[in-house]
Amino acid sequence: MADMLNELGFLAGASRFRRISEKLQQDGDKIYSDANIRFRASWFSVYYVLAKSNLPQTILEISNQIDFSHITVKNILRELTKEELVSIKPNPRDKRSKLVELTKKGKELQMELEPLWLSFSNTLKDLFSIGHPDMSNILNRLDWEINFKPINERIHQPKDEFVKILDYKPSLKKHFYELAGPWLLGVLNGKLEEDDKFTLNNPDKAYLENGGFVFYAKYKNNIVGCVALKRLDDDTFEFAKLFINPNFRKLGIATKLIERCISRCMENEAKELWLQTTMSMPQAHKLYYKLGFNDKSAPPQMDVLERTEKIMCLTL
């Protein structure tokens, strides 16, 4: 039987997401049923917020934490109340709202649910990896992009106004030095380290020939950013030479380049992604922390540069 949604391609994007969501919820309901637990997959997000909250929550607070509509949360709470898993009481501080919390029965159920959630999570991780090893972050990025600029606005936006991340190709080689060279010369007061002299002029030999990668950011037909992903060993990478043209900052380009590095690491089943930086880049450090990097000492396989003052690592 032909699948009409396949024929429609991207036009059926929302319909396919809904179909996948419905299948996941149906299978989730079967998992709870097989475990003899009266619970539904559609309740999970609301229930989880209440299970992890030390204080009662208003419906608005629950909605904000999971970005569900007010009416959707109210409908789920109605079902949870019917099962005596939550209690809803007037808010003494605000008569317009109500306070929601788990009942004793709801808290006891949590003990049964958590081992099941762990198994479910591991199974979903394996399932999503079939689509892409970094599928969770891909969905996060898609979610963020839609919130940042809705589809109804994007439909009128020229294609060249979207930032694209490109893999290395010979015609892009010159841009690596053009972008990162002047910046690095400024940082080092006009004197490059020996490693920099070679990598800036030969990104293909320095990175690609050793199992690494080089990525470029393109915006409005301009190459506006670059980053190198250096392989340290079979399980470890380091990203370096991240630079964005100052005229094109605040477009999220640095984040997109780092996310491409993370995705490529996961595609290669890497366990760690490292970076070296200086203390003069506090804004960059904030971005690294936001993306999950933590301060660590250099691993033995890393060649630490003379200018390095801070080393960070992301566990994948």
Side-chain angles (χ1 to χ4, degrees):
M1 179 178 176
D3 186 340
M4 179 62 73
L5 296 188
N6 280 337
E7 296 178 13
L8 291 173
F10 289 109
L11 189 60
S15 298
R16 298 195 73 173
F17 277 125
R18 179 172 181 172
R19 185 167 72 179
I20 292 170
S21 175
E22 288 179 350
K23 287 180 179 178
L24 290 175
Q25 291 204 354
Q26 289 169 6
D27 290 347
D29 288 344
K30 290 177 183 177
I31 290 172
Y32 295 124
S33 177
D34 291 344
N36 294 315
I37 297 176
R38 288 181 62 83
F39 196 80
R40 296 185 62 185
S42 59
W43 300 344
F44 171 76
S45 297
V46 172
Y47 178 91
Y48 188 82
V49 168
L50 296 172
K52 296 302 179 182
S53 301
N54 295 322
L55 298 172
Q57 302 286 301
T58 66
I59 294 176
L60 180 60
E61 287 172 335
I62 297 172
S63 299
N64 289 340
Q65 290 181 69
I66 56 179
D67 202 18
F68 280 16
S69 69
H70 194 272
I71 188 65
T72 297
V73 172
K74 287 184 68 174
N75 288 337
I76 293 173
L77 288 174
R78 187 179 297 114
E79 295 178 11
L80 289 169
T81 303
K82 187 176 180 181
E83 292 294 324
E84 300 180 346
L85 298 177
V86 303
S87 65
I88 303 177
K89 300 176 182 178
N91 186 350
R93 299 186 301 275
D94 186 351
K95 294 182 179 180
R96 296 169 299 175
S97 66
K98 296 183 182 297
L99 294 176
V100 187
E101 62 183 335
L102 294 183
T103 61
K104 181 181 178 182
K105 179 181 177 181
K107 293 177 181 177
E108 291 173 348
L109 181 62
Q110 183 182 348
M111 302 298 291
E112 296 182 64
L113 289 170
E114 287 186 342
L116 205 58
W117 288 342
L118 180 59
S119 298
F120 200 6
S121 176
N122 290 334
T123 301
L124 287 174
K125 180 181 179 181
D126 292 338
L127 177 63
F128 286 176
S129 293
I130 295 173
H132 192 279
D134 198 28
M135 182 61 75
S136 179
N137 283 327
I138 290 172
L139 292 174
N140 286 339
R141 295 197 288 272
L142 181 59
D143 196 9
W144 185 90
E145 289 285 354
I146 291 174
N147 284 322
F148 176 72
K149 180 167 287 190
I151 299 294
N152 61 298
E153 295 180 17
R154 289 174 182 269
I155 199 169
H156 303 295
Q157 185 174 358
K159 287 186 178 181
D160 65 357
E161 290 189 10
F162 294 105
V163 176
K164 295 181 180 179
I165 306 301
L166 308 175
D167 278 49
Y168 174 90
K169 53 185 177 181
S171 62
L172 297 176
K173 179 179 179 178
K174 64 177 182 178
H175 295 290
F176 198 75
Y177 187 94
E178 290 175 355
L179 285 164
W183 162 72
L184 203 50
L185 283 167
V187 170
L188 299 176
N189 297 317
K191 187 177 180 180
L192 295 174
E193 294 185 33
E194 288 303 315
D195 178 81
D196 296 319
K197 291 178 183 178
F198 179 71
T199 56
L200 286 171
N201 289 289
N202 304 281
D204 49 346
K205 295 180 180 179
Y207 302 109
L208 274 66
E209 290 186 7
N210 294 297
F213 304 91
V214 176
F215 304 112
Y216 297 87
K218 183 179 181 180
Y219 179 71
K220 290 187 175 180
N221 294 318
N222 297 303
I223 301 301
V224 297
C226 64
V227 68
L229 188 56
K230 179 181 180 181
R231 184 182 287 276
L232 300 183
D233 59 29
D234 281 357
D235 300 319
T236 315
F237 284 91
E238 172 190 353
F239 83 74
K241 304 294 189 294
L242 173 66
F243 183 76
I244 312 301
N245 185 321
N247 297 323
F248 295 93
R249 287 177 180 165
K250 296 186 178 181
L251 293 173
I253 297 173
T255 300
K256 292 179 186 297
L257 284 167
I258 298 171
E259 286 175 340
R260 175 59 64 87
C261 288
I262 294 172
S263 286
R264 190 56 55 87
C265 285
M266 297 186 75
E267 290 170 359
N268 282 266
E269 299 183 340
K271 296 178 181 178
E272 294 177 330
L273 175 58
W274 293 80
L275 68 89
Q276 304 182 47
T277 184
T278 64
M279 299 307 295
S280 63
M281 304 174 68
Q283 289 303 117
H285 300 166
K286 289 182 181 179
L287 173 59
Y288 301 150
Y289 287 129
K290 180 180 177 182
L291 291 171
F293 287 84
N294 293 297
D295 296 342
K296 282 194 177 182
S297 299
Q301 65 270 41
M302 176 186 281
D303 295 324
V304 180
L305 300 169
E306 291 183 15
R307 65 177 176 276
T308 297
E309 298 173 319
K310 186 181 183 70
I311 293 172
M312 305 178 76
C313 178
L314 173 68
T315 301
L316 302 167

